[in-house]
Amino acid sequence: HLANNNKGKMAASLDQVIEEKTDTVALMSHSPFETDTDLNKSMQTIDKGPFHVSQREAKTHQENLQHLCRICGGSFKTDPYKRSHPVHGPIDDEMQVLLRKKEKKAISWPDLLAKIFKIDVKGDIDTIHPTKFCHQCWTVVQKKLSNSPYEMFFPRRSPVEWQPHSSSCDVCGTSPRGVKRKKQVLNPQLSKKLRMVAGRVRKIRQINNPKQVNQKSLMKKIASCKKIHLSTKILAVDYPSDFVKSISCQICEHILADPVETTCKHLFCRTCILKCLKVMGSYCPACHYPCFSTDLVSPVKSFLSIMNSLSVICPVKDCQEEVCLGKYCHHLSRPKEIK
């Protein structure tokens, strides 16, 4: 009887121990899952915060880009008329008229901007590059196409280089005037030109005084192209004097040979103007406007075709043949071939 009682007590104690163990196992089995989910939730909140912040920053960065010029980085807010032009798209009517006058072809703004500013905007990304440019840069394009001075409108040497958004972003931390740029060293040639423009703002009186006559004769001596260039006296037709002046060099007064045009719209023989610029200084011999050898461009094709179609009488002895100016060099080489 006592033995049975002891066995019953032992069994009850064993059952209690088994129940406690199962409870602890159940608690242990539940707790890891709970801690994992809690950790996952906390990690999600940690990861979610910076993602939202960066996304918000990128959005504000893109919004700020919409108020800046793609080329110079200036703000549209500084313009009282809030004028802007799309970087990607067709050229406006006013610019097309100017291109037609200059006998140049460009359909869209990317092509024209690549020619003028030497930048490729076709591969632009909206999150990095602005999609518009300011009216001041539009004026620079107009001035460059019309071959007139543009440095006062665009004193920069090159357009702005745009970078992706970062912690030290110039676009997001910029002032309302535009992108904060590093101070650049001025081009000495450009600064000299600007000084000369400021110094010669007043019009120079066109009076035929002895000094001007001496200067003209001096320039002719510098050019010394009498043996190279053709005189206007060999023209086959008696053209009006104004037309003869328009096709003659303003230094040597001969028929234009390899003509070039300055920013002030005066025409010269290439060799004559280069010699004068080297000796006399960096200004136009006709109007004393600042001029450099890099500013010289060839005239429009229609003017060159008119020049080449002019008929001249060959000045060689015993020839006196009437030849087109464009074929004059070929005509000179013919007698040598016959000999």
Side-chain angles (χ1 to χ4, degrees), residues 66-69 76 79 81-87 109 131-136 138:
Q66 298 305 314
H67 301 291
L68 299 175
C69 173
F76 299 138
D79 185 6
Y81 301 103
K82 302 289 187 293
R83 292 167 295 184
S84 62
H85 306 272
V87 173
W109 278 116
T131 55
K132 295 177 183 179
F133 63 97
C134 63
H135 190 72
Q136 195 169 350
W138 183 91

Side-chain angles (χ1 to χ4, degrees), residues 46-65:
I46 289 161
D47 292 338
K48 207 171 182 182
F51 176 73
H52 276 295
V53 169
S54 62
Q55 199 174 16
R56 201 186 313 118
E57 282 181 2
K59 197 176 180 182
T60 52
H61 177 78
Q62 198 168 352
E63 284 173 2
N64 290 333
L65 286 173

Side-chain angles (χ1 to χ4, degrees), residues 283-294:
Y283 61 88
C284 174
C287 66
H288 290 263
Y289 190 83
C291 177
F292 293 90
S293 57
T294 51

Side-chain angles (χ1 to χ4, degrees), residues 78-311:
T78 56
D79 185 6
Y81 301 103
K82 302 289 187 293
R83 292 167 295 184
S84 62
H85 306 272
V87 173
H88 305 281
I91 297 165
D92 55 271
D93 297 335
E94 194 175 343
M95 200 62 72
Q96 280 181 353
V97 170
L98 186 61
L99 284 167
R100 232 175 278 125
K101 277 185 181 178
K102 286 288 172 182
E103 297 177 349
K104 292 179 181 178
K105 290 181 181 179
I107 302 164
S108 60
W109 278 116
D111 298 333
L112 194 57
L113 293 174
K115 284 180 183 177
I116 301 295
F117 295 105
K118 304 289 185 283
I119 52 168
D120 185 19
V121 297
K122 289 179 180 178
D124 282 6
I125 304 164
D126 293 347
T127 54
I128 300 172
H129 305 92
T131 55
K132 295 177 183 179
F133 63 97
C134 63
H135 190 72
Q136 195 169 350
C137 291
W138 183 91
T139 310
V140 172
V141 175
Q142 188 187 35
K143 294 281 180 188
K144 271 199 154 187
L145 286 173
S146 56
N147 194 27
S148 53
Y150 62 90
E151 286 83 4
M152 300 299 284
F153 297 94
F154 195 77
R156 289 177 56 80
R157 278 189 290 176
S158 60
V160 177
E161 290 182 6
W162 299 93
Q163 301 296 334
H165 177 66
S166 61
S167 56
S168 59
C169 182
D170 290 332
V171 175
C172 296
T174 187
S175 63
R177 291 180 178 272
V179 177
K180 190 179 179 182
R181 297 189 292 266
K182 290 179 181 178
K183 193 176 180 181
Q184 291 185 348
V185 180
L186 284 171
N187 188 356
Q189 192 178 14
L190 181 63
S191 59
K192 184 185 175 184
K193 189 172 181 179
L194 291 172
R195 284 200 305 273
M196 290 172 76
V197 170
R200 291 185 173 90
V201 173
R202 290 175 299 174
K203 291 181 180 179
I204 296 167
R205 294 177 184 177
Q206 300 295 327
I207 303 166
N208 293 324
N209 53 15
K211 286 182 181 179
Q212 285 185 343
V213 172
N214 291 335
Q215 195 175 5
K216 278 188 177 181
S217 60
L218 179 63
M219 285 192 293
K220 281 183 182 179
K221 284 179 182 178
I222 291 164
S224 63
C225 58
K226 197 174 181 180
K227 294 179 181 179
I228 308 166
H229 298 157
L230 298 171
S231 173
T232 52
K233 292 175 182 177
I234 67 164
L235 289 167
V237 183
D238 188 15
Y239 293 109
S241 58
D242 291 335
F243 179 76
V244 174
K245 280 182 182 178
S246 67
I247 60 161
S248 58
C249 174
Q250 295 197 32
I251 294 171
C252 64
E253 295 179 351
H254 295 145
I255 297 170
L256 287 163
D258 190 13
V260 288
E261 188 181 351
T262 60
T263 50
C264 47
K265 305 289 181 185
H266 291 117
L267 292 167
F268 303 95
C269 303
R270 190 181 290 274
T271 52
C272 296
I273 186 70
L274 289 173
K275 283 178 183 177
C276 281
L277 289 175
K278 195 174 181 180
V279 177
M280 303 286 287
S282 301
Y283 61 88
C284 174
C287 66
H288 290 263
Y289 190 83
C291 177
F292 293 90
S293 57
T294 51
D295 299 331
L296 303 174
V297 292
S298 58
V300 291
K301 290 177 184 177
S302 56
F303 178 79
L304 294 173
S305 64
I306 291 166
M307 286 284 301
N308 292 328
S309 64
L310 293 171
S311 54

